[in-house]
Amino acid sequence: MRIKQDDIVSINDISRLIGASVGTLTYYANNMESEVRERREPKERGGVRLITAPSEGLKRVLKSIKDTILLQYEYPDYVYGLGGNTLREHALVHAGEVTTVKLDVRDFYPSLKNQWVYSMWIEKFNFDPEAARILTKLTTLHGGLTQGFPTSSHIAAIVAESFTKELDVFAKSNGLRFSQYVDDLNLSGKAVDRRLVFKTVISLAHRSGLSIKKRKTKVTSPKDGKVITGAAVFGKQTRATKKVRQRSIQAIKALQADPNDEYNIQRVIGYAGFLKHLRPSDGRRFMEMAAPYLPRKKQKK
């Protein structure tokens, strides 16, 4: 796939496209560590998750890259949540299926290395090496993608296509459904050969330079209830799971304790969108609770 703006090739072209000077792009590319705030969050089952928050200036640049370049990409129809199909539609892909397999890629974002991102800009968008180099430095950190950049989910979906397209072909050839929502990969079907699925997925991931975390790969059957990416599915109805709703309340409490923390603000806004997509009334109630602690300009989101 080539970007629709066929004349966009150099860093000067990209500068005009996204509305930021070459000097600005170069400055941020060369000063990423001072322009990004990092925090480490403990994971529920041990380990630490690195969350990054770009400065306001860098965030504007990254959003422009996302809006003017990454959203022009033609994502496969199994990819959800990148400006097209919604979380609810993603969850409903698997409604009515007997067994669901949720796959967990080990360190998904960091495992997508900057050299792969560099190749993406050249091979998928036809940018020249200088433009690819600067864009790679702007959209990666510590040698790979990072959670918290507006561009990360879109780039991850493109870079991981060598894996996910083969997974989609495998699913269709075995009568299964496959969908991807950011780093959440799900397979489902009436009859699922678990051993075949695990063997194939691990092999495909390894071939693409990725690794599946077996311990966090989950298989659910009807008696377990159907949960897809934090969404409980009841027939054609969806709602955020109880665990997600509890976490959303914790996010409001964290914001109440520190209303000026941008991470807490973005976390609350993220939960609001998540709840709204699955059940609008939940989203409205959540925003009513959060509104007193959010900056006024954020309350309409």
Side-chain angles (χ1 to χ4, degrees), residues 21 28 46 55 89 94 110 113 137 215 253 270-271 293 299:
S21 71
Y28 284 124
S55 66
E89 291 170 312
H94 305 281
K113 303 303 182 184
K137 292 179 74 173
R215 182 174 59 85
K253 290 178 179 178
Y271 273 118
Y293 314 110
Q299 293 180 18

Side-chain angles (χ1 to χ4, degrees), residues 44 242-251 267 271:
E44 280 189 1
K242 182 178 180 181
K243 180 183 288 187
V244 170
R245 298 198 304 274
Q246 289 173 338
R247 288 178 180 170
S248 70
I249 299 302
Q250 292 170 2
R267 191 171 173 222
Y271 273 118

Side-chain angles (χ1 to χ4, degrees), residues 1-289:
M1 175 269 179
R2 302 296 184 189
I3 195 169
K4 293 179 180 178
Q5 296 92 339
D6 291 329
D7 56 338
I8 305 298
V9 175
S10 71
I11 193 61
N12 288 310
D13 298 329
I14 292 167
S15 167
R16 289 190 291 271
L17 178 67
I18 69 176
S21 71
V22 173
T24 297
L25 298 178
T26 303
Y27 167 79
Y28 284 124
N30 292 332
N31 293 275
M32 289 295 288
E33 293 197 9
S34 64
E35 292 292 331
V36 176
R37 185 162 57 92
E38 299 177 299
R39 68 191 296 163
R40 285 167 171 77
E41 269 195 354
K43 296 181 180 179
E44 280 189 1
R45 298 185 180 182
V48 175
R49 177 183 291 107
L50 179 65
I51 306 293
T52 54
S55 66
E56 285 300 316
L58 176 58
K59 186 191 298 183
R60 284 194 294 271
V61 168
L62 293 174
K63 283 184 176 179
S64 293
I65 292 171
K66 180 191 74 175
D67 293 341
T68 60
I69 299 175
L70 295 171
L71 285 178
Q72 304 303 316
Y73 189 78
E74 296 172 10
Y75 295 91
D77 58 9
Y78 57 77
V79 174
Y80 291 79
L82 298 182
N85 296 330
T86 66
L87 171 62
R88 182 174 186 276
E89 291 170 312
H90 164 66
L92 291 177
V93 166
H94 305 281
E97 299 299 341
V98 175
T99 303
T100 302
V101 181
K102 177 188 176 298
L103 307 171
D104 189 277
V105 178
R106 188 183 305 276
D107 299 323
F108 183 66
Y109 286 108
S111 68
L112 301 174
K113 303 303 182 184
N114 51 8
Q115 59 264 36
W116 299 356
V117 177
Y118 175 81
S119 296
M120 178 204 75
W121 293 121
I122 293 176
E123 295 171 7
K124 301 291 187 179
F125 295 95
N126 204 30
F127 296 154
D128 69 24
E130 181 193 18
R133 179 181 62 81
I134 292 175
L135 287 171
T136 300
K137 292 179 74 173
L138 285 168
T139 54
T140 61
L141 195 69
H142 304 315
L145 293 180
T146 185
Q147 198 167 352
F149 281 14
T151 49
S152 289
S153 296
H154 298 73
I155 293 175
I158 300 171
V159 172
E161 271 187 8
S162 62
F163 169 52
T164 58
K165 280 189 174 181
E166 287 192 283
L167 200 51
D168 186 50
V169 170
F170 164 75
K172 288 175 179 175
S173 65
N174 286 274
L176 305 176
R177 293 175 178 269
F178 170 65
S179 67
Q180 175 184 4
Y181 188 89
V182 192
D183 60 342
D184 213 347
L185 309 176
N186 291 273
L187 289 159
S188 67
K190 298 291 188 294
V192 177
D193 184 334
R194 302 181 188 187
R195 183 173 297 180
L196 175 64
V197 167
F198 291 152
K199 181 180 178 181
T200 302
V201 168
I202 290 170
S203 174
L204 293 177
H206 180 73
R207 197 159 66 196
S208 298
L210 301 172
S211 174
I212 298 297
K213 193 179 293 185
K214 297 179 185 178
R215 182 174 59 85
K216 290 193 68 178
T217 294
K218 297 179 181 178
V219 180
T220 58
S221 57
K223 64 182 178 60
D224 303 312
K226 191 170 293 298
V227 175
I228 305 292
T229 318
V233 182
F234 312 94
K236 292 296 182 180
Q237 301 298 316
T238 58
R239 189 183 191 188
T241 62
K242 182 178 180 181
K243 180 183 288 187
V244 170
R245 298 198 304 274
Q246 289 173 338
R247 288 178 180 170
S248 70
I249 299 302
Q250 292 170 2
I252 292 179
K253 290 178 179 178
L255 180 62
Q256 183 180 6
D258 189 354
N260 297 315
D261 188 308
E262 183 64 21
Y263 171 77
N264 289 335
I265 293 171
Q266 294 303 323
R267 191 171 173 222
V268 165
I269 291 172
Y271 273 118
F274 189 94
L275 295 168
K276 179 182 176 182
H277 280 141
L278 295 175
R279 181 175 287 188
S281 59
D282 284 351
R284 287 194 297 271
R285 281 194 293 270
F286 179 78
M287 281 304 291
E288 288 172 1
M289 294 172 61

